[in-house]
Amino acid sequence: MIEEGSKSSKSMVEKRQLFMEMRAQNFDVIRLSTYRTACKLRFVQKRCNLHLVDVWNMIEAFRDNGLSTLDHNAEINVSRLETILSSIFYQLNKRLPTTHQINVEQSIGLLLNFIVATYDSEGHGKLTVFAMKAMLATMCGGKILDKLRYIFSQISDSNGVMVFAKFDQFLREVLKLPTAVFEGPSFGYTEHSVRTCFPQQKKILLNTFLDVLMADPPPQCLVWLPLMHRLANVENVFHPVECSYCRSESMMGFRYRCQQCHGYQLCQSCFWRGHASGPHSNQHQMKEHSSWKSPAKKLSHAISKSLGCMPIGEPPHPVFPEAAERPQDLAHTTTLESPSRLDEEHRLIARYAARLAAEASNSTQCPPTDLGFNFDANKQQRQLIAELENKNREILQEIQRLRLEHEQASQPTPEKAQQNPTLLAELRLLRHRKDELERRMSALQESRRELMVQLEGLMRLLKDEEQKQATQTGSSPHSSPSHSASCTMPMPIRSTSAGSTPTHTPQDCLAGVGDDVLDAFSQGVPRNLRNDLLVAADSITNTMSSLVKELHSVDDGLDDEEENMRNGRDKVSSLKHSGKRHFTPSF
């Protein structure tokens, strides 16, 4: 019981939500009932997202849900109405971009509750097909001309003449909308509403119907309908004019200019609330402006009008042919609520194919004039098909072009990198790091060359020393291999006499070589030259290894330099073996 009570209270809150939000807008401060009614219905239209659906989408939804085959007085329940609204809003979301998607469930709930409150106030749970069509066709978006043409098609006979009884039914249903927003005393339905629109009983065709309902002013009972469309058109119109009452330097929406007070203009908020200042009075006649024209444009317009270069008054709508289009014969169709809907559709298709075959057989018996007429009609149809195919190709090419532009825009480019400060800083830092590593690589290469020069000088000194030892061993008759192995390298003796020429020592020949080599020849105690050479070779190897690591961190493309370093490492290794081979006999 508690759960059912909570659901019932939630349902009541949802039904009152739209009306509570409308009351919060404080539309009742608007002085004129026409503007007050139009503002309230415009709020309902936008809050339920009906302004995003035009009358052509509504007609398509009526046809898809099988309403075209139902009689106007047929009743549908609330669940069927909810299904129709669901199809309308889900189809709307398919047409909208992903960034402008609407809350479908919320829109369905708000609009369903508004329709039920408007047309099922007694709680029967049903409403007529004509009431639903009239309400949705009136409250949807789009042009008022298209709406009125559709409404006329619903209230006219097969000859294109308006049926007064159907028009009276339309007024009865559509005037429930002002009553639903608490404006019934001003625009409620009366028995004389039809006569106020068409005072004389005569034949009403489409052009006459449009002339009356789109006149300035329109019939009093429907004066709010064209005003609601004008409100939608001026919501974002800007007027660079100062309001004479609130002193606002600009206006949005309507602008009102007094016909008696020179230069006195009011914004829509001040005019709707009846504000006045100075000699101006609310009883003065005000002219409504829905756009702004500069003084120069006004002057050129007046000159063109005075010279007869432009028509004085433009017709409110285009003139349509008096002969109405032949309505579709839907007498043989059945309602689509039955379980055998698919079978019914197949039978309808079969009947239509049979009718086309019969028309084709009859056309073969027509006189030559009819054949010429059919030929012209077919030619026009072929031309129309060719134009549509060309248009389709243009659309496909445009889609392909947009797709390519999107792919190009999604790829990073240097121009985009320049526009991104963070990415530009990272590129600058990487470029600086690359230059630094290249400088270090050059220094390591120079060190490598110096080490190779030192190693070659060392090898020459060792060869000379070996030759000297071999000479000394050969000159001494008492020399032996063991003696030569234990002999040490004589220390250099530098003459200190003033007249003697200084003797060049091995250290003089080692100028510019490494410290390990210098230590090998500069110590007073003899050192093992073989070990010193191995130490120097290891130093060269370590240096080359560090060079290889640095080159790997800079760029993978320096494979040639890495190959050279490996060759240098092989050369060092070969020098190690050659040193072993040369020094083994001498030590």
Side-chain angles (χ1 to χ4, degrees), residues 170-189:
F170 166 74
L171 291 180
R172 189 186 302 271
E173 302 298 342
V174 79
L175 292 181
K176 290 181 181 178
L177 293 173
T179 305
V181 293
F182 315 107
E183 297 296 334
S186 301
F187 300 104
Y189 171 80

Side-chain angles (χ1 to χ4, degrees), residues 22 31-32 103-104 142-143 178 247 255 278 285 296 312 319-320 327 330 360 367 371 424 429 439 500 514 527 568 581:
M22 184 180 64
R31 181 172 57 97
L32 301 176
N103 189 338
V104 174
K143 300 179 180 180
R247 299 301 177 185
R255 173 171 56 91
Q285 184 179 2
I312 298 177
V319 179
F320 296 96
L330 301 176
L371 289 175
L424 186 61
L429 181 61
R439 289 194 298 270
S500 61
R527 294 181 58 184
R581 185 169 58 252

Side-chain angles (χ1 to χ4, degrees), residues 61 118 128 149 159 196 331 355 384 448 578:
T118 303
T128 63
R149 287 181 62 192
N159 296 321
T196 59
R355 189 175 67 182
L384 179 60
R448 172 180 173 273
S578 64

Side-chain angles (χ1 to χ4, degrees), residues 127-142:
L127 69 158
T128 63
V129 173
F130 185 75
M132 189 197 65
K133 286 184 177 181
M135 184 271 172
L136 292 178
T138 304
M139 292 295 293
C140 67

Side-chain angles (χ1 to χ4, degrees), residues 169-340:
Q169 184 182 4
F170 166 74
L171 291 180
R172 189 186 302 271
E173 302 298 342
V174 79
L175 292 181
K176 290 181 181 178
L177 293 173
T179 305
V181 293
F182 315 107
E183 297 296 334
S186 301
F187 300 104
Y189 171 80
T190 62
E191 296 179 356
H192 305 287
S193 298
V194 177
R195 294 304 172 196
T196 59
C197 298
F198 301 99
Q200 300 178 359
Q201 181 78 19
K202 61 179 183 179
K203 183 179 179 181
I204 305 298
L205 300 176
L206 175 59
N207 291 318
T208 307
F209 179 79
L210 295 177
D211 290 339
V212 172
L213 295 189
M214 297 183 67
D216 188 15
Q220 180 60 31
C221 61
L222 295 174
V223 69
W224 51 270
L225 181 58
L227 179 58
M228 185 176 69
H229 288 79
R230 295 204 306 273
L231 280 174
N233 294 331
V234 302
E235 284 182 348
N236 298 317
V237 174
F238 175 77
H239 304 270
V241 180
E242 181 182 7
C243 178
S244 301
Y245 182 83
C246 66
R247 299 301 177 185
S248 176
E249 296 181 355
S250 60
M251 303 180 188
M252 293 294 294
F254 285 121
R255 173 171 56 91
Y256 298 90
R257 184 165 55 88
C258 182
Q259 300 298 296
Q260 299 182 19
C261 304
H262 178 71
Y264 193 90
Q265 302 187 76
L266 293 176
C267 62
Q268 69 176 20
S269 179
C270 293
F271 176 75
W272 289 356
R273 286 161 176 77
H275 296 322
S277 61
H280 178 71
S281 172
N282 290 331
Q283 304 302 322
H284 291 180
Q285 184 179 2
M286 302 290 287
K287 185 176 181 180
E288 179 187 281
H289 294 272
S290 58
S291 62
W292 163 255
K293 292 182 181 178
S294 62
K297 191 172 182 180
K298 290 180 180 179
L299 179 60
S300 63
H301 182 81
I303 293 175
S304 301
K305 187 176 180 180
S306 61
L307 295 177
C309 299
M310 58 182 302
I312 298 177
E314 297 181 357
H317 64 84
V319 179
F320 296 96
E322 294 294 340
E325 297 181 357
R326 185 177 179 182
Q328 295 181 353
D329 185 11
L330 301 176
H332 59 278
T333 61
T334 59
T335 60
L336 300 181
E337 293 180 345
S338 60
S340 59

Side-chain angles (χ1 to χ4, degrees), residues 17-18 21-22 25 27 37-53 58 89 92 96 100-104 106-111 114 135-136 138-142 147 177 181 227-237 252-253 268 272:
Q17 179 182 355
L18 184 62
E21 293 180 1
M22 184 180 64
Q25 300 296 319
F27 291 121
T37 305
C39 288
K40 289 180 178 180
L41 292 177
R42 174 64 177 168
F43 172 80
V44 173
Q45 183 191 51
K46 295 181 65 176
R47 187 66 181 86
C48 297
N49 289 314
L50 280 175
H51 66 296
L52 302 175
V53 186
M58 286 294 180
F89 287 113
L92 171 63
L96 294 176
H100 293 75
Q101 297 286 299
I102 65 171
N103 189 338
V104 174
Q106 185 182 29
S107 300
I108 294 172
L110 291 175
L111 183 56
F114 179 75
M135 184 271 172
L136 292 178
T138 304
M139 292 295 293
C140 67
K147 292 183 181 182
L177 293 173
V181 293
L227 179 58
M228 185 176 69
H229 288 79
R230 295 204 306 273
L231 280 174
N233 294 331
V234 302
E235 284 182 348
N236 298 317
V237 174
M252 293 294 294
Q268 69 176 20
W272 289 356

